[in-house]
Structures are given as structure tokens and as C-alpha cells.
Amino acid sequence: MNLTYLVLAMAVVTFIPSMLPLVLLQNACLPRYIKSFMGFIPYAALGALVFPGALNSTGAGNLESAIVGCIVSILLAWWEMNLIFVVVGGIAGVFIVNILFKL
């Protein structure tokens, strides 16, 4: 029974910060530069969450191969490749560096 209350409390605490801006700012007229700035926040948040994980994905001591994999993925994303090719390209970059340099 306590677990149910805990899950419900966590749901409410997660829901409130997501819903408050929608409720409080629904009729607000924001300046153009703020709207433009808000459009970049999802990309910045995603980058802040993904990039450290990508650098630590190959384990301790293999930072070089992780950097190569990130560079390959960034280049493929820059060239607007499909997401699956970006992911597979990054994995292939790490794999090739590990094979060539026996890391």
C-alpha cells in the first residue's frame, strides 16, 4: 500500500513542473526572441544528457574510441542521415578504432 502512495506522489511531483508553465503561460504573449530561445532548449537538454553517456560508453581507458564514435555520429547527423545510420555509424567507428588499435 505504501508503494502505491509513493508512486502516486512521484507522478504528481513529476506532473506539476511540466504542467505549470502550460497553465500559467497559456495566454501570455512572449517576445519573439524568447520563443526562439525556447526552441533550442530540447536540443541542448538532449545533448547534455546524451554526450556524457556516449563518452563513457566504451568503458574506462577507451576514451579515444568513444571520441571517434561521437565524431562519426556528429558528422552523419550533420549530413542529415537517417537516425539508424547515425547510431550504426558511431558504433562502427568505435569498433574499427578498437580493432585497428587493439584497445
Side-chain angles (χ1 to χ4, degrees):
M1 190 60 122
N2 289 335
L3 183 62
T4 305
Y5 291 134
L6 179 64
V7 171
L8 287 174
M10 289 171 36
V12 168
V13 169
T14 304
F15 181 73
I16 288 174
S18 302
M19 196 54 149
L20 273 179
L22 292 174
V23 171
L24 296 177
L25 298 175
Q26 67 184 4
N27 293 328
C29 186
L30 298 174
R32 187 175 189 183
Y33 66 91
I34 291 180
K35 287 182 183 179
S36 175
F37 173 75
M38 297 295 265
F40 292 112
I41 290 178
Y43 301 111
L46 183 63
L49 292 172
V50 170
F51 194 70
L55 290 180
N56 293 324
S57 64
T58 57
N62 286 338
L63 184 61
E64 296 85 7
S65 62
I67 291 172
V68 170
C70 286
I71 290 172
V72 170
S73 295
I74 290 169
L75 288 174
L76 291 173
W78 187 274
W79 293 327
E80 298 179 0
M81 299 291 287
N82 193 335
L83 181 61
I84 192 72
F85 294 124
V86 173
V87 172
V88 171
I91 293 169
V94 169
F95 181 73
I96 289 169
V97 167
N98 283 335
I99 294 295
L100 289 178
F101 296 107
K102 306 276 186 200
L103 294 176

